[in-house]
């Protein structure tokens, strides 16, 4: 290496160090001035990570709308987490729930909980619809992913730059629809018996293009539409490539490092209605997917509370679209089952 080359390298090194120093100073300046305001404005999720410490809670319940939705006819409008709290005197349960949340969001909340905390047990809601491409590419992902940027362990200025350059899901509706359909096609179905459809896309198209259910019963177009929603939401088979499984894996490892007991609360779906509309094939897939979760996570020390059949059709108060929104009786059944497993 010539003396001239050494001089050039030294000069470039000084410029790089100067640039790095400027960026560090700008990050510090941003962190102490505008960052608190931006985080409050763009990241409402961060406040959930502070609740366990502020409220001195030993049990935290992470959920989505299933936790706090209630029927207009309910006299008891308590959330599932509040019912659990009332069933466990001597413990304090914190509610960390927000609409459309899933395992990826729960992981970000959990890892941002301060190191010094009173948490002993973590209850994570597992909504089986969240594993389907319909939810993975949901339009509701856009605002959630924007918030996730601010929950990263990264320099404050870098996170603000990611937000400015839209480094999150911001598909157009046509792009999103294409991603969902491609997801349906990739979720191939391998049943242990003859089944005429190779994926959710084929199954959805076959039922949606007629006015008959799987058993030949003629029904209205509204009923067909609801049946197709169930197919699109649940016609998949879980494996370790599913992004939600990868999120659950990260939650397991995080809780092991933190020394937290972990419970996966598998939500109830309207199995009564699903059996009538979509038939035994979809029911078989759904049962198999819950068994996959049990066999994958219980050997790792996770309690998997299987509520799949816990809530009956009469306790679902929304009838036109698949949801996990229960009336007071349904919420109480789920809460009671979780408490039973907790007491074990």
């Amino acid at each position: 290496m010539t003396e001239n080359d050494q001089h050039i390298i030294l000069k470039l090194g000084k410029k790089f160090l100067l640039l790095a120093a400027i960026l560090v100073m700008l990050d510090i300046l941003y962190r102490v001035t505008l960052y608190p305001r931006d985080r409050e404005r763009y990241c409402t999720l961060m406040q959930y990570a502070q609740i366990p410490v502020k409220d001195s809670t030993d049990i935290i319940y992470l959920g989505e709308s299933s936790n706090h939705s209630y029927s207009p006819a309910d006299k008891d409008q308590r959330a599932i987490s509040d019912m659990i709290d009332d069933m466990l005197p001597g413990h304090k349960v914190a509610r960390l729930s927000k609409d459309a949340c899933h395992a990826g969001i729960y992981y970000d909340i959990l890892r941002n909980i301060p190191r010094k905390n009173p948490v002993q047990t973590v209850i994570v809601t597992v909504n089986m619809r969240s594993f389907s491409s319909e939810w993975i590419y949901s339009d509701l992902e856009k605002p959630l992913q924007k918030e996730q940027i601010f929950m990263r362990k990264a320099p404050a200025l870098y996170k603000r730059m990611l937000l400015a350059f839209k480094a999150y899901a911001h598909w157009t509706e046509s792009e999103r629809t294409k991603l969902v359909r491609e997801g349906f096609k990739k979720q191939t179905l391998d049943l242990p018996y003859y089944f005429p459809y190779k994926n959710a896309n084929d199954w959805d198209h076959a039922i949606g293009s007629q006015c008959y259910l799987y058993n030949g019963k003629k029904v209205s177009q509204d009923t067909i539409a609801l049946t197709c929603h169930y197919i699109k939401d649940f016609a998949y088979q879980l494996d370790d490539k599913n992004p939600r499984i990868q999120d659950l894996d990260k939650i397991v490892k995080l809780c092991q490092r933190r020394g937290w007991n972990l419970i996966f609360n598998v939500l109830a779906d309207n199995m009564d209605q699903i059996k009538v509309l979509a038939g035994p094939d979809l029911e078989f897939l759904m049962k198999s997917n819950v068994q996959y979760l049990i066999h994958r996570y219980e050997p790792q020390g996770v309690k998997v509370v299987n509520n799949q059949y816990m809530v009956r059709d009469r306790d679902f108060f929304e009838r036109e679209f698949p949801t996990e929104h229960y009336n007071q009786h349904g919420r109480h059944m789920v809460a009671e089952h979780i408490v039973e497993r907790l007491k074990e």
Side-chain angles (χ1 to χ4, degrees), residues 95-226:
R95 178 208 298 193
L96 314 182
S97 62
K98 183 175 180 176
D99 292 358
C101 282
H102 50 72
I105 306 298
Y106 303 146
Y107 172 72
D108 279 339
I109 293 173
L110 288 171
R111 69 185 179 133
N112 278 284
I113 292 175
R115 286 285 175 181
K116 291 185 178 180
N117 62 77
V119 176
Q120 296 179 12
T121 299
V122 174
I123 304 171
V124 172
T125 294
V126 180
N127 189 319
M128 298 307 292
R129 284 192 299 125
S130 70
F131 296 95
S132 72
S133 64
E134 184 90 326
W135 188 322
I136 290 170
Y137 301 111
S138 165
D139 197 42
L140 297 173
E141 273 296 289
K142 186 189 301 182
L144 288 173
Q145 286 195 18
K146 286 175 68 175
E147 295 203 39
Q148 282 183 286
I149 287 176
F150 273 86
M151 301 189 79
R152 293 184 184 183
K153 302 294 185 182
L157 189 60
Y158 173 70
K159 291 188 282 190
R160 188 63 183 87
M161 288 174 62
L162 290 177
L163 190 66
F165 288 107
K166 295 187 176 181
Y168 54 85
H170 56 282
W171 319 291
T172 64
E173 183 55 29
S174 61
E175 289 171 338
R176 191 191 73 82
T177 301
K178 184 179 179 181
L179 286 169
V180 170
R181 281 293 170 188
E182 288 177 350
F184 289 155
K185 293 175 183 178
K186 291 177 182 176
Q187 292 173 331
T188 54
L189 306 175
D190 183 20
L191 278 68
Y193 54 83
Y194 171 74
F195 186 63
Y197 312 117
K198 63 180 181 180
N199 54 44
N201 186 67
D202 293 350
W203 194 354
D204 171 54
H205 182 266
I207 299 300
S209 59
Q210 59 184 18
C211 55
Y212 299 92
L213 297 179
Y214 74 99
N215 55 7
K217 181 180 179 181
K218 189 173 183 177
V219 293
S220 68
Q221 282 301 312
D222 287 343
T223 301
I224 289 293
L226 180 57

Side-chain angles (χ1 to χ4, degrees), residues 256-281:
Q256 289 172 344
R257 290 197 303 270
R258 293 285 194 103
W260 294 332
N261 300 313
L262 178 58
I263 293 176
F264 284 160
N265 166 36
V266 178
L267 288 176
D269 288 296
N270 195 339
M271 301 304 292
D272 294 336
Q273 193 175 65
I274 287 166
K275 284 190 286 187
V276 171
L277 298 181
D281 298 312

